[in-house]
Amino acid sequence: MIRSRWLAAALTALTLLAACVPGSNLPDTRPTDRQAKDIRTDVAAMGEVTLTVWDQEVRGGQDKQITALNAEFQRRYPNIRINRVPRSFDDLRNTTRLGLTSVQAPDVVQVNNGRQDMGAYVKAGLLLPMDGYAEVYRWHQRFPATVLRLARYPASGEPLGEGKLFGLPQGGELVGIYFNKQKLARLGIAPPRTWAEFDAALRKAKESREVPIQFGNLEKSAGIHLFGFALNRFAPTEDVYKLATGRQGVFWADDNPKAAAELLVRWAEDGMLTNGFSGLGSDAAWREFAQGKGVFLVSGTWLMADLEAAMGDRVGFVLPPTDDGKVAVTAGTSVPFAISARSRNPDAAAAYIEFLTSSRGMALMAEHANLPVVEATSQRPPTAFRAEVFNSWAHASETGGLVPYLDYATPTAYDTVTSVIEQLLAKRMSPQQVLDKLQADVDAARGGR
Amino acid sequence: MAAGEPRRVGYLYVLPALAVYVAFLLFPLLHSAWISLFDWDGLTLGTWAGLDNYFTLFAEAGLRAAFGHALVLIVFFSILPVCLGLVLASALHRSRVRGLGFFRTVVFLPQVIAMVVVAVAWQQILAPDGPLNSALRALGLDAFAFNWLGEESTALIAVGLVGTWVQTGLTVVLFLAGIGRISGDLYEAARLDGAGVLREFRSVTLPALRPDIAVALTLTVISSLRTFDLVYVMTPLGGPGESTTVPAYEIYHRAFQSGQVGSAAAIGITLTVLVFALSAVVLRLAGGRR
């Protein structure tokens, strides 16, 4: 009798386990679009609402602007309570998966762009399409299409750039050239505007025993930016867009990507990069640059505030060189704000996102040394350096010169690109091997569809 | 148990502890094992995969390498610290240095500092132009001034040596306590019989320390197999050419970043089994008669 009781218990346990196939607690219906005519925009009339917001605006200037905006929003609408949950980028990225699938999902989340993050959540139906809100709040008029397409996904989650809108960013990002003004003056060269000028500047810096390009690739993230920088020299922006998002018609083994890979090898061989870059952290690299080691630093505008604080007016910024006057720059947006499909107050959530990205939001972004995604040129930045960054962004985003980061094509693209570039610079892989590996990654993802 | 009290009442006493154990340890463990049988991205409905996740574990070169690295780290996190600990502890004990407490504290200090702090500090020390290489160059040892964390050949060793530095404190303190328990008569007798330093160590100290060695080995082997923070902070993304990936890093990467939760769970379960197996071996070999 005891044995049969044990058997029953074991069977019950098994049935219980079997009933919970991982993921079975999630709804299998896709969220329905909010039509423009159903959307309520009168926030004051929405009653008592608590919005839970997960953001990653934790660094100095970011935190200041969002804190100020949250306070203003709640002053204007006392019926809304913002429950802010700030986390560092990595922490937020690691917990979003659990957050969006939990019963108490946040209303508004900053979701990292790319196939393995936003793409995967769109595919799983965890985010609310925002096209209705875009219509009501006229986002199409205020945001360039090249910016909005970086948060568009079809229901399958790929490819990026098509389908519905799932997020709206507050800030812009682009990878350009920081330079040390004192060193350029001493070398007797002007900020390089063409590739010939840039090449000559590198040679001159090298001859004068300076570090031409300050570079630290321990985390492997600097490598992907340097490769994108080189790729934009050779390939037309539309081609790079296709490569980066995994579209048909362009191949990694084409001549242009090959020329970019060879350029990287040449830079490493000719000592144009910091000695021992593979063991140098990226933070350590920009600090060395700030302390006067290195003529150029190829990096993103996320370093703007830090470099300005460390170097004052000794730091300058230019867009990547061009030979035909057509800007081609690796760029993106700050992490877009998205609405959870489980939010019980999507209209309030959208009104909040609209407020963050309004002209007032952009002004506060600029005031605290962040690069506003739109209306950058109408701001009055306090330094010439910041004005240069703002104008560069405005110029690039309005002339269609923005090219996405190279890791959007496949779920494994970031790992693959960073790893092969690291191997390329260490001369453990030839340019051809690198390109083959990149193409194989794209092909494998296609085969899996 | 009082006479006449029914045997089953015994279970009642264990119940509170058991409930906590089941809720926070046993159930998650079983749940992970269950998830490891699925192909699951953590978002949508999983599909039954049977033991596929385990088979790919052995088939994937990258994963095999990760387990290989963990075994290499055992040498640095466990075997080296135990050997060093034995030497240091017997030296400290014999020479009766003044301020023994001070040295013991210094040697034990790395154990107290958070691993992330240790990793950040060492990352700076090991930088291409960091203090270590500067010191080596100043001594004319330019040939040994490697790009420690940036080369495939040295990255794992560099991480391992930091592990040795951390774990040696633990073993020294354990062994010092162990030696303190050994009766002075034994040492006196050995000396009267004309035993030298080595003989004394081999015949008196080592046998008496056997249980302590077993404890030290068990603790350090487990921590070497679980290493995550040191690797993650010192060599982000698994180091140059994936030369420092370890199973714990793979679990983190798959579960939280690349959406392969089933595979991550399978690695976790395999790691658990491996830890159990190695601990059993250590206890059998070193624990001996006790």
Side-chain angles (χ1 to χ4, degrees), chain A residues 68-78 80 360:
Chain A
L69 280 171
N70 283 347
E72 277 187 26
F73 187 74
Q74 289 180 100
R75 251 199 321 276
R76 190 181 293 184
Y77 307 113
I80 309 278
R360 176 67 188 144

Side-chain angles (χ1 to χ4, degrees), chain B residues 147-217:
Chain B
N147 181 2
W148 294 100
L149 298 174
E151 294 287 339
E152 277 183 37
S153 47
T154 52
L156 190 63
I157 297 174
V159 172
L161 286 175
V162 176
T164 310
W165 178 76
V166 171
Q167 299 290 11
T168 302
L170 176 76
T171 57
V172 168
V173 170
L174 265 176
F175 296 153
L176 266 179
I179 294 176
R181 278 201 321 265
I182 303 173
S183 153
D185 298 349
L186 281 173
Y187 283 111
E188 207 180 325
R191 263 168 234 170
L192 282 177
D193 289 341
V197 179
L198 276 181
R199 182 73 215 218
E200 191 184 298
F201 176 74
R202 234 170 34 148
S203 306
V204 181
T205 314
L206 205 53
L209 280 185
R210 214 175 146 142
D212 305 272
I213 295 175
V215 170
L217 273 177

